[in-house]
Amino acid sequence: MSREFPKKRVVVTGYGMITPLGKNTEETFRSASQGLSGIDYITSFDTKGLPCQIGGQVQNSWLDEVRDPVAQRYYKFSARGLRLIRAATLEATEQAQTEKIAARDRIGVSLGYHADNPTIEDLVFLHRFYNGNGSWDMKGLLQAGGYSYLNFLRRKPDVVTSMLSILSNCKGPNLSIVSACAAGSQAIGEAYRMLQEGKADVMIAGGCDTTLNFIGFIGFVLIKALSERYTSPQKASRPFDRKRNGFVMSEGAGTIILEELEHARSRGVPIYGEILGYASSADAYRITDTHPKGLGAILAIKGALEDAGISSEDVDYINAHGTSTVQNDLTETVAIKEVFGERAKSIPISSNKSMLGHTIGAAGAIECVLTLAGINQSTILPTINYEFPDPKCDLDYVPNVARTQEHRIAISNSFGFGGQNACLCIGKFNG
Amino acid sequence: MSQNFITEATVFEEVKKATAETLNIDKDSIKPESSLIKDLGAESLDFLDINYRLEQAFGIKMARHFILEHIEEMFGEGSAIDANSQITDKAVSLLQFRMGENFPELRPGMDMDEVPALVTAQSLTSGVLDILDSLPEKCSACGNSAWQSENGLRIKCGSCEEYASFTNGDDLIKAWLTKVQEEKKIF
């Protein structure tokens, strides 16, 4: 029998992000409040001939602006993922002043990420030494300089988590989460759990992903998950709209500093919000199809509310997963109706992905931070490109224009391919 | 031209094989009228796998888009699916024309979500046969007309040994839609 400890409260003392809409939280939030889109034609690789040629890129100049000499020597281990998450994390740790904390073994890292994809150049190089029948010309390969061990490390999602702990000198729990679109939320949720249980004082939690390269992109094209019909790149991501036809791939990173309440108080740092509850679940249904009745999503949302000790009546805003795929937005709507009943129609629901596209492992983290920023600024971000109502998606999706409205408690949904679901319950800090 | 090298029975056998291997089910449980989704438990990803296996077997390219998507593209938004996500009457009559009368589910007002369940082992077989029947008269590599079958599945040029190339499934659907529209002026 396990002993029950009183659960500790977990607050937010810092956050950061880098997204297609901005190089930090302030810029991203400002652009999102104006209903701008960060989506455009992809320039990071040649998309000629592909049925989808758009995405949400983080500008290279923003990454170059990040002053991070100590991390530079590690970039070779993770070309882009590490750079993105470092940009977001530096913003967050500066805000939370985590450098000043003495007990480094009480600070952990929890990160959602899926590692860098192999490049076509890597594959073409290797192919020269392969006879196509299972046999390798190892002598020739070694003579040509061999296959860099760095490629091996770049394929491992755990390396960036480890790298973050090195760079931020965090000796506490170290968690790598790999659950597709739910990873960012799960990374925050599991970090919250550790703090609740007293396993650490501070957790650096978040997610990053960068899939805007041929190998990363082509799989999503093959399974027809991406939007292929759009009048302009900015119009392609249209969650809950009747003409939605797939999601838009983006890259980015989001970081949040979670801290046990008394620890934050003793440091005297500003508190920006509180994580009130979390739950994760699985559809246990199919690989990409969501459960038609949203059973997994319902479990996650109900679980998060229960964990927070609140009822569905208390929720003022829902930050939707809202990917702009036909299935997700319908299933999510069905799940919200099931959990919130008649009230579902009067709760504002919006999808940040309408503006940012889908940053996969980063999405949950970015959306958690945007939700917090929205609570603190009494702003509900819009769902843009909402033009043609879908009779099956008939809730209040905050169409096109941000809303000024005080709200105190929100949930943020993240539902991954494979039916992995996570829901975070986020609240204004009440002291 | 319609080809006489690969029989419908052979294609159906390959469809059964591809479906059985993809879904890990008994080949003999698959009947021509079996709905892949409703009767055999396929999910959307499985269609990609089944199509890939058929493409490898026959050296063809299956359609990537369902006919409704082509109708929307060719005849304008709303021509196949209305604002309530229901199939338009015109699209229903077009589908009935294409798929035959054996689909009582196919009726005006049916939801677009229900359409994938209409795919049966027989409709897949017809799709493959349509593509095989796009066999050009002459070999595009050497210009000779000396097709012959290799192992009953692949068609090869008897003169230069090149495999035959067929029109891809999407282009065939578009060509069929153009022809039907010219004849019947549905849209």
Side-chain angles (χ1 to χ4, degrees):
Chain A
M1 213 174 80
S2 67
R3 276 169 61 194
E4 286 276 332
F5 292 96
K7 282 178 180 165
K8 296 171 191 293
R9 284 173 71 184
V10 177
V11 294
V12 177
T13 53
Y15 48 68
M17 66 174 67
I18 187 161
T19 73
L21 268 185
K23 61 184 164 201
N24 54 35
T25 309
E26 195 192 329
E27 267 192 32
T28 303
F29 190 82
R30 194 190 320 126
S31 299
S33 317
Q34 294 163 3
L36 300 177
S37 167
I39 309 304
D40 212 331
Y41 289 105
I42 292 169
T43 56
S44 58
F45 70 99
D46 188 359
T47 59
K48 229 186 302 110
L50 290 179
C52 173
Q53 308 192 333
I54 57 169
Q57 289 176 243
V58 166
Q59 289 185 23
N60 288 331
S61 61
W62 295 344
L63 284 171
D64 293 339
E65 280 175 39
V66 180
R67 287 188 311 279
D68 192 17
V70 48
Q72 258 166 29
R73 77 183 198 87
Y74 294 112
Y75 288 165
K76 62 189 173 197
F77 294 106
S78 168
R80 204 163 167 90
L82 179 63
R83 291 190 71 181
L84 290 169
I85 193 65
R86 269 297 273 181
T89 303
L90 285 174
E91 183 190 341
T93 51
E94 267 168 40
Q95 190 178 26
Q97 303 167 52
T98 53
E99 291 309 300
K100 295 181 183 163
I101 299 169
R104 305 310 291 188
D105 60 338
R106 297 289 297 167
I107 309 177
V109 175
S110 173
L111 183 71
Y113 181 48
H114 300 89
D116 289 356
N117 293 292
T119 64
I120 292 288
E121 288 75 14
D122 286 345
L123 301 178
V124 167
F125 172 78
L126 278 178
H127 189 252
R128 282 163 52 197
F129 307 100
Y130 183 59
N131 74 353
N133 284 321
S135 116
W136 288 90
D137 172 14
M138 279 312 289
K139 208 172 148 204
L141 177 61
L142 292 172
Q143 270 169 4
Y147 182 66
S148 171
Y149 72 97
L150 293 172
N151 285 317
F152 163 65
L153 293 163
R154 284 182 194 138
R155 303 294 95 81
K156 285 161 58 62
D158 51 295
V159 168
V160 169
T161 322
S162 144
M163 217 69 78
L164 269 192
S165 69
I166 296 170
L167 290 164
S168 304
N169 187 22
C170 301
K171 297 187 169 72
N174 201 263
L175 227 65
S176 298
I177 308 270
V178 183
S179 54
C181 321
S185 289
Q186 257 193 307
I188 292 171
E190 296 301 326
Y192 154 76
R193 238 358 135 236
M194 294 199 146
L195 294 167
Q196 270 192 322
E197 292 170 3
K199 303 266 165 56
D201 295 330
V202 176
M203 289 292 290
I204 298 176
C208 59
D209 254 322
T210 164
T211 315
L212 294 173
N213 45 62
F214 188 81
I215 300 282
F217 202 73
I218 194 71
F220 290 96
V221 169
L222 292 173
I223 63 169
K224 288 173 68 180
L226 301 180
S227 168
E228 297 182 8
R229 294 194 307 276
Y230 39 84
T231 48
S232 75
Q234 293 75 29
K235 288 271 182 194
S237 186
R238 38 195 323 116
F240 305 106
D241 181 276
R242 177 159 51 82
K243 296 194 178 175
R244 67 188 187 275
N245 58 79
F247 76 84
V248 174
M249 183 67 77
S250 290
E251 61 178 358
T255 303
I256 191 161
I257 309 296
L258 298 181
E259 191 160 351
E260 188 273 313
L261 174 62
E262 293 313 318
H263 192 267
R265 276 193 173 133
S266 71
R267 295 203 300 133
V269 288
I271 292 171
Y272 301 101
E274 181 166 2
I275 303 296
L276 301 172
Y278 158 70
S280 69
S281 71
D283 283 8
Y285 180 61
R286 285 175 179 175
I287 295 176
T288 58
D289 296 341
T290 53
H291 190 284
K293 289 186 178 155
L295 292 186
I298 291 166
L299 280 176
I301 299 172
K302 281 189 172 167
L305 297 180
E306 192 180 321
D307 186 44
I310 61 172
S311 85
S312 58
E313 294 292 313
D314 300 316
V315 175
D316 303 318
Y317 165 63
I318 298 173
N319 185 303
H321 186 52
T323 55
S324 180
T325 63
V326 173
Q327 264 196 23
N328 173 81
D329 299 355
L330 175 59
T331 307
E332 186 165 13
T333 299
V334 168
I336 290 171
K337 285 181 180 172
E338 173 62 29
V339 176
F340 294 92
E342 262 309 298
R343 243 198 107 230
K345 284 189 195 291
S346 56
I347 307 173
I349 301 164
S350 65
S351 165
N352 302 151
K353 293 183 184 79
S354 61
M355 300 173 280
L356 291 164
H358 194 346
T359 54
I360 313 293
I366 291 170
E367 288 160 18
C368 176
V369 174
L370 290 175
T371 301
L372 262 177
I375 288 174
N376 289 329
Q377 298 180 39
S378 295
T379 301
I380 293 180
L381 295 176
T383 303
I384 66 164
N385 297 323
Y386 187 85
E387 297 174 291
F388 304 96
D390 177 348
K392 289 180 191 160
C393 299
D394 52 355
L395 301 177
D396 172 12
Y397 302 107
V398 195
N400 305 315
V401 183
R403 210 174 277 172
T404 305
Q405 183 175 323
E406 204 191 320
H407 55 295
R408 305 188 65 82
I409 294 182
I411 59 165
S412 179
N413 290 337
S414 296
F415 307 136
F417 267 178
Q420 292 142 307
N421 312 293
C423 179
L424 290 168
C425 183
I426 301 157
K428 201 179 184 90
F429 180 61
N430 279 331
Chain B
M1 70 180 215
S2 90
Q3 52 83 31
N4 297 313
F5 301 97
I6 302 166
T7 63
E8 179 165 356
T10 306
V11 174
F12 180 58
E13 200 49 38
E14 283 302 308
V15 167
K16 282 208 300 194
K17 206 170 119 195
T19 308
E21 281 170 7
T22 298
L23 303 176
N24 200 16
I25 56 175
D26 180 9
K27 200 154 70 92
D28 297 327
S29 67
I30 304 168
K31 305 278 172 277
E33 66 277 11
S34 305
S35 158
L36 268 66
I37 290 181
K38 249 182 11 210
D39 301 326
L40 306 177
E43 65 174 291
S44 58
L45 266 191
D46 293 319
F47 284 101
L48 298 176
D49 193 0
I50 292 166
N51 279 351
Y52 179 76
R53 290 172 194 268
L54 293 171
E55 288 177 349
Q56 296 300 304
F58 294 107
I60 58 175
K61 203 80 197 127
M62 299 288 283
R64 198 170 169 271
H65 298 284
F66 195 66
I67 188 164
L68 294 178
E69 296 174 67
H70 286 294
I71 296 174
E72 289 269 304
E73 183 133 315
M74 290 174 70
F75 305 116
E77 278 186 15
S79 53
I81 300 161
D82 70 14
N84 293 314
S85 338
Q86 291 174 345
I87 312 301
T88 62
D89 295 0
K90 287 174 174 180
V92 168
S93 55
L94 206 63
L95 282 174
Q96 277 167 342
F97 184 53
R98 188 171 171 85
M99 303 177 72
E101 301 294 317
N102 299 328
F103 293 92
E105 310 92 318
L106 187 55
R107 63 189 190 284
M110 84 180 283
D111 198 279
M112 62 180 278
D113 295 347
E114 301 168 55
V115 172
L118 295 177
V119 177
T120 60
Q122 181 56 47
S123 68
L124 269 183
T125 304
S126 309
V128 172
L129 279 170
D130 277 351
I131 298 174
L132 293 174
D133 282 344
S134 75
L135 180 72
E137 225 154 285
K138 291 180 176 136
C139 170
S140 60
C142 71
N144 285 318
S145 187
W147 298 123
Q148 46 182 252
S149 115
E150 182 190 69
N151 63 34
L153 294 177
R154 301 292 298 268
I155 301 175
K156 211 173 177 177
C157 175
S159 167
C160 73
E161 304 258 296
E162 279 290 317
Y163 284 115
S165 54
F166 303 92
T167 311
N168 77 55
D170 285 308
D171 287 345
L172 280 178
I173 293 176
K174 283 189 228 170
W176 183 83
L177 282 172
T178 308
K179 197 178 100 218
V180 172
Q181 170 66 2
E182 271 167 19
E183 285 168 9
K184 303 193 173 235
K185 306 258 183 282
I186 291 178
F187 293 99

